[in-house]
Amino acid sequence: MNNTNDIDVILEQLFECSLPTESQIKYICFRARQIFIKESNTIFVPAPVTICGDVHGQFWDLKELFEIGGKPGETSYLFLGDFVDRGYYSIETFLLLLTLKVKYPDKMTLIRGNHESRQITQVYGFYDECMKKFGNSSVWRYCTEIFDYLSLSAIVENQIFCVHGGLSPKIDQINQIRLIDRKTEVPHEGAMCDMLWSDPDETTKEWEINPRGAGFNFGKLVVEKFNKINSLKIIARAHQLCQDGFQYSFDKKLVTVWSAPNYFYRCANKASVMIVNNELDHSFKVFEAAPPEKRNVKHRKTTSIYFL
Amino acid sequence: MLWSNNDQNDNKRAETKKTDKLYSIAVLLEELKSEDLHIRLCSIQKISVIALAVGHVRTRTELIPFLSEITDEEDEITLVLAEELGKFVDFVGGNEYSHTILPPLTKLARAEETVVREKSVESIKIISKAMDKNQIQTYLFPVIKDLANGKWFSSRSSACGLFSICYKSVDKSSKEELLLLFRELCNDKTPMVRREAAKELAELAPIVEEENLKKIIIPLLIQLSEDEQDSVRILTIDNCISVSKLINKDEFITYIIPTLQNCAADRSWRVRHLVANKFYQVSESVDPEIVKENLLEIFIDLLSDNEEEVRVSGTARISDFSKQIKEYQETISDVIFPIIEQLSQDSSKKVKVSLASVITLMAPIIGNQMSIEKLIPICLDLLQQDISEVKLSIISKLESLSKVVSEEILINTLLPVLIDLIKDPKWRVRCAVVDYIPKLGIQLGVDFFNEKIIELYITWLQDAIFKIRETAAKNLIQLTKEFGSDWCTYNLLPHIFKLLKNPNYKIKQIAMYSLSLLAPELEIDIISDKMIPKLTVLQNNKTPNVKLYLAKCLHELIPYTEETNIQEEIIPCLTDLLNDDDQDVSTFAKIALDEIN
């Protein structure tokens, strides 16, 4: 992998799952920061758009997603966070999405998930992957710094509210989100934390403690009120595994989208993307993990791994 | 300090170079003493540069001896060193000095770490190509003897790899010595050495004299084929392949057939697995008669082996093997096809997938009649077994079959099955069908295509899966090349122009993509009069994705459009897009406009 900072060259190599150099990663993070800085806490996204849930470092399944949904740049994508951890290619996956953001700023929208955090990535694999592939923590630092700039939510044509986790008792109206200072590590509590950690619960009436230890469980009344006050058609979120790729809740007032098939390479679940057309109708395209012969890494140096 | 010949002309330049050279070796020395492995590794990777800098003489007299001393370094370093030394022939002053590189490489060939000594042997082989007979006799031959008599198995293993490069160039008594040594190594007490010797046997066989081939090599082949270690026996098949090319029919039957029978029935499945994989290569070296009389039954046994992996690897070679007995069509029909039928009902999915990957390749070997009677029923059965990898394999290789059988069979038997598979739940199967149908369409002719296929084809351009739409679009080029640009203009373009008006932006995009792919095949006035106007109206579309794609599409069409249209229609359109609110639309419009200017 040569060391050019040409975005097209870097993109071509990332599409082949070739690891960028440390300086290239630093450069892409720098370019991406300039774009993220201008985005508000709730990004306005025009229709048509394809909404995708958690990807978790499953690079080849992300490529499968693009084969199904269309080429990034030609098709608009909105990713709901959780790009890293658990999969074997968190770096390549996140950098591909980030470089696509730099190349097609209006056709690629990325918002923050609860795994885009210094604390979480040290436990669930991203930090270890950076150490293994680069021998030091610089890349992890560049990425976790850029995580702080990621927006918290998005809204498609004022009708579909998109967030990684869910709702917060502190937020009734969407424009309250604007008041949050998001350029920080994910806090342990508060509105920003809730948005990235909360889960819908059909058995809950309004708010309950979330067994995850962060965010809340929210119920039907909360969702109905939120959708009504904010004139929403539906809430789209991710954060929870769906065996069939997607799952409606509360009479289709909320939907969970999950885009990591065969999650953790063992759950045998399907994945999906939510396709929103110009008229704001949506449908789901369900897909499975890419077959073994497509999961092929070509340019890997093997000497360093051999002597471990 | 020694001066190399090049520099004696220019004193001042030589003076600076002298300091450089001193500096280079000094720097190398310093870096190699560093505690940091990474620094030492980097400096070793640069020794070619240093050799170039210090010149031939100093490389020989100072650098090479120095490198010989550091051979007990970390494995990462010695591995790189072994590799770099293989490139040193030029640096030491050319072929006549190539043997001077042997000492450090010989030391490295004794290394404990396998990859290091394998790399050293590889490098010795490289530099030996630059040696003449004298050098080989004087310098390489003693090295081999030395290594072969080494105390540790590692040096004896390395010795094995060097026999074939040495043998031809030494004198008669040395040849005898070498063969004696080789025999000892084949009888070595450690299996690692016997394994390396077994590997070398295949290389040595074509080089030795006929007499020695029969007296020494073949008996050793048979002996090693009965070794107690399966890692040694596994090399038998390669040795048989090598020797088969060198002996006559009777010798083959006497020596090789029994050996093959034994290793095809070996108690270790890994041995049988490799035999099944490479068996057809043996049959390539002998007459078809011998293949039919003696080798066929061995192959059939492997295809019925208990172990799944053996059946899988044998099945993958059915077409390769059958090619060798092409003239015995009856045998193929009576002996091989029953086995194929059996394999198509095998309990293992892997076997069926393996079968699917080669079965259509039988068609050119057996011809139209047998394909219809025997092959097609099996293919149809496999397709109906609903294993997606099987379906995918067969469909992607259908061309071999369709080129052999008659049109009637294609239309009445194959086509309905394919149309059915269009509805397969796995998108990759559907995609394979979409990819194959154009080839079939071309075979069956333009009228058939227009009547039966084109409507269906247009629906594929609108499939929900992007890859399927893309595949359908890409194959339009092949169809247009075969059926002609007139056909495209009157039969295809109307459909595509209709797709441009589809409310879904993705369909508009694929329509634009198709047009940009077809442009090189079409008349310029069609593009200018018909295509461009229909495209430029899209500049008023509200969706940024459409406008972005429009800019891209116009960019592709520029080389195929008349100048007047470019000026009057394309440039205004792109200029409008340049001022679009959407950043990406604007970017692509700019790229296209820059190209025009």
Side-chain angles (χ1 to χ4, degrees), chain A residues 48 50 64 66-71 73-76 104-107 278 285 288 291 294 303 306-307, chain B residues 75-76 113 115 426-428 464-467 470 505-506 509 543 545 548-549 552 582-584 588:
Chain A
T50 301
E64 186 82 354
F66 289 145
E67 303 254 273
I68 309 258
K71 291 204 172 114
E74 295 169 10
T75 303
S76 307
Y104 306 108
D106 283 344
K107 297 289 157 299
N278 290 62
K285 199 83 205 104
E288 292 176 5
K294 295 280 169 184
T303 19
Y306 191 101
F307 291 113
Chain B
D75 293 326
E76 286 100 325
E113 176 56 58
V115 279
K426 293 273 185 247
W427 73 266
R428 284 202 153 82
I465 305 271
F466 166 72
K467 192 77 188 175
E470 195 192 34
Y505 80 96
K506 294 188 184 189
Q509 281 182 343
T543 310
N545 307 62
L548 175 165
Y549 212 93
K552 260 182 153 179
D582 188 288
Q583 272 192 66
D584 301 312
F588 281 100

Side-chain angles (χ1 to χ4, degrees), chain A residues 14-83:
Chain A
L14 276 167
F15 267 116
E16 291 174 356
C17 202
S18 197
L19 197 63
T21 62
E22 213 176 285
S23 71
Q24 284 171 324
I25 294 178
K26 191 171 179 188
Y27 175 67
I28 295 171
C29 289
F30 164 71
R31 290 281 304 268
R33 190 170 85 229
Q34 296 172 316
I35 303 174
F36 288 145
I37 256 180
K38 295 189 221 149
E39 289 177 340
S40 69
N41 291 347
T42 305
I43 307 178
F44 181 86
V45 179
V49 66
T50 301
I51 303 178
C52 315
D54 294 24
V55 181
H56 281 300
Q58 297 181 203
F59 180 87
W60 300 108
D61 299 317
L62 176 62
K63 285 204 74 182
E64 186 82 354
L65 187 157
F66 289 145
E67 303 254 273
I68 309 258
K71 291 204 172 114
E74 295 169 10
T75 303
S76 307
Y77 281 101
L78 163 56
F79 281 85
L80 301 179
D82 275 12
F83 315 112

Side-chain angles (χ1 to χ4, degrees), chain A residues 108-120:
Chain A
M108 176 65 71
T109 307
L110 307 172
I111 65 172
R112 195 171 188 174
N114 62 312
H115 277 258
E116 275 73 59
S117 132
R118 289 166 187 77
Q119 291 196 327
I120 299 293

Side-chain angles (χ1 to χ4, degrees), chain B residues 287-305:
Chain B
D287 290 333
E289 197 200 326
I290 302 197
V291 178
K292 170 171 165 280
E293 294 298 319
N294 301 318
L295 294 179
L296 179 59
E297 53 181 349
I298 305 179
F299 188 61
I300 298 293
D301 277 341
L302 287 166
L303 291 173
S304 323
D305 195 282

